[in-house]
Amino acid sequence: GAGVSQSPSNKVTEKGKDVELRCDPISGHTALYWYRQRLGQGLEFLIYFQGNSAPDKSGLPSDRFSAERTGESVSTLTIQRTQQEDSAVYLCASSLGFGQPQHFGDGTRLSIL
Amino acid sequence: RKEVEQDPGPFNVPEGATVAFNCTYSNSASQSFFWYRQDCRKEPKLLMSVYSSGNEDGRFTAQLNRASQYISLLIRDSKLSDSATYLCAVNIGGYSTLTFGKGTMLLVSP
């Protein structure tokens, strides 16, 4: 079946604007994860969902970041009042369950001007 | 000590060489271990899981050393196409998700 799908692939926006990033996980995967990766850096965990609930929001860098998941499927990561330091690739992954290998989408490359 | 640590490299090896990377983890209760490969400006892709008894997939061999708390990845007969960053991922005991290392860069030259 299809892999993890993210949209948009690229997003360029002005500082101060809000952005929404979308993730469609692999069908049947109950766990969904968001990561941020700055150029040349490692993966930075942001948040994960089990079903529609987010037990661990500890990775969200500020209150400008929020995420939701509906129908135990699609997830949206929203960044309000974007700052230049938000520029990065935002990766979504899903897995059958905890402890299971995660499968990543292609990512959204976000550039804040 | 960081939860998951990797030597960032780069490891420069000629084609045909054998190369090995280690990844150390801090929590002895960790239960799930994986190796991922990430090409430049691409997403990480699962390379292989790591089983307690060790496992092999073609030229790749993964091993787990619980006593010393590390996993290893051995690549035999390196190809140019093996050039990438290799990330380890560990399920840290008590947490529900994987913790990724920052990766080891491998460069295979002709």
Side-chain angles (χ1 to χ4, degrees), chain B residues 6-75:
Chain B
Q6 295 184 255
D7 182 338
F11 284 54
N12 289 283
V13 302
E15 271 187 294
T18 295
V19 62
F21 316 127
N22 285 344
C23 166
T24 59
Y25 59 94
S26 60
N27 193 316
S28 59
S30 300
Q31 296 181 359
S32 305
F33 309 89
F34 307 95
W35 282 103
Y36 283 77
R37 169 197 171 122
Q38 186 172 26
D39 292 289
C40 188
R41 301 175 75 84
K42 296 285 192 180
E43 76 280 14
K45 291 188 177 177
L46 179 67
L47 182 63
M48 58 197 303
S49 302
V50 185
Y51 301 121
S52 297
S53 56
N55 48 299
E56 189 174 303
D57 183 1
R59 297 182 294 109
F60 298 83
T61 300
Q63 292 191 315
L64 167 63
N65 186 317
R66 285 198 182 274
S68 300
Q69 294 182 206
Y70 73 88
I71 61 173
S72 64
L73 178 68
L74 179 82
I75 305 175

Side-chain angles (χ1 to χ4, degrees), chain A residues 33 35 37 39 41-43 45 48 56 91 97-107 109, chain B residues 32-34 36 38 41-46 49 87 91 95-103:
Chain A
Y33 314 80
Y35 296 87
Q37 189 171 36
L39 189 63
Q41 303 297 309
L43 295 174
F45 170 76
Y48 83 85
D56 184 359
L91 290 159
F98 299 128
Q100 298 296 311
Q102 296 177 18
H103 299 273
F104 286 82
D106 293 343
R109 191 171 305 276
Chain B
S32 305
F33 309 89
F34 307 95
Y36 283 77
Q38 186 172 26
R41 301 175 75 84
K42 296 285 192 180
E43 76 280 14
K45 291 188 177 177
L46 179 67
S49 302
L87 309 175
N91 176 271
Y95 286 76
S96 300
T97 185
L98 299 179
T99 298
F100 285 82
K102 294 192 181 301

Side-chain angles (χ1 to χ4, degrees), chain A residues 12-35:
Chain A
V12 181
T13 192
E14 294 180 347
K15 176 182 172 181
K17 300 286 189 183
D18 296 352
V19 294
E20 277 191 0
L21 312 180
R22 177 187 169 106
C23 173
D24 281 275
I26 293 172
S27 178
H29 280 196
T30 59
L32 185 148
Y33 314 80
W34 283 99
Y35 296 87

